[in-house]
Amino acid sequence: MSLLSFQKALTDLIASPQLCLQVRAHPAETLSRYDLTPREVTRLKTVVHQQGMSVSCTLYRVNRITPIYTMLPYTCLLLGPALIPLAEEFWEICNKSDLQFKREITLFGDFLLQQITTGSLQNPYLGEIVAMELAINELKFLPRTALLNAPVNEEGLHPLIRLVPFDHEPEPLLIELSRMQIPPFTAGTGEYFLVIDHREEELSFSTLPRKTGAVAL
């Protein structure tokens, strides 16, 4: 068990600069949560002061922020300077990562949606943009060719189509974001669906009034 505990402690340290600082300041207390031999405790106390540990922590954080920044670009734009503090909060909560893009962006997106629901994050466009980018990535990870001839579901939707509710007209909002500009918080509200269709090789987008619903799309 000691070797497994040592590996677990080392992995946790690489994933958390804060934990490294805690070990530096209070090594015995912090490492007491692991089943370590005195020799292993000494090794870890030495490791957290090595320059290589700082590099490892940085690489780990880069590997975790890369899928977020790459696959949730409009979300990141809307978050602005709040992105890194929120990512760090997310990493503290979800410190078990396999560094797979799909899982990482889904978990981070769900984390943001929860923050919006509780009122911790307040941005009139953020919820719908997070939901849109999660839907886009969900479609991109599906086996498109295998699903092309699949039947529609009970709601009349083809499995390669997603409907994302919007409280603002999608087109002008997305035009602003595509220019990497923060839209003004004065846009009119309404009830819309953004239709994301991946039946063709390239994604296509259209807008429906929300009252239309999903009818054989």
Side-chain angles (χ1 to χ4, degrees), residues 138-176:
E138 181 185 5
L139 288 172
K140 286 182 176 180
F141 282 108
L142 289 176
R144 189 184 70 85
T145 303
L147 292 174
L148 282 175
N149 296 318
V152 299
N153 61 23
E154 295 178 356
E155 298 176 344
L157 274 180
H158 189 277
L160 292 172
I161 292 178
R162 296 292 182 272
L163 295 184
V164 181
F166 267 64
D167 294 326
H168 306 87
E169 188 176 357
E171 185 174 357
L173 174 57
L174 295 178
I175 288 174
E176 288 294 306

Side-chain angles (χ1 to χ4, degrees), residues 40-140:
E40 289 169 340
V41 170
T42 300
R43 288 177 63 188
L44 290 174
K45 287 165 61 177
T46 302
V47 163
V48 295
H49 289 280
Q50 293 176 346
Q51 184 177 0
M53 177 56 75
S54 297
V55 174
S56 296
C57 287
T58 299
L59 289 175
Y60 177 85
R61 289 153 65 85
V62 167
N63 286 333
R64 292 202 71 175
I65 198 67
T66 296
I68 292 171
Y69 199 77
T70 302
M71 306 189 79
L72 301 174
Y74 293 168
T75 296
C76 293
L77 177 63
L78 289 175
L79 289 174
L83 171 61
I84 297 303
L86 282 166
E88 290 177 339
E89 182 180 350
F90 166 67
W91 295 334
E92 284 297 308
I93 297 170
C94 183
N95 57 8
K96 304 292 187 296
S97 174
D98 55 11
L99 300 180
Q100 296 298 308
F101 276 30
K102 180 181 178 181
R103 181 175 183 272
E104 193 75 10
I105 59 177
T106 299
L107 290 175
F108 184 65
D110 289 343
F111 166 77
L112 292 179
L113 292 175
Q114 184 178 16
Q115 297 291 305
I116 294 168
T117 300
T118 60
S120 299
L121 269 178
Q122 296 185 2
N123 181 302
Y125 308 127
L126 186 59
E128 52 203 21
I129 293 302
V130 172
M132 179 196 75
E133 293 194 313
L134 288 178
I136 289 172
N137 286 300
E138 181 185 5
L139 288 172
K140 286 182 176 180

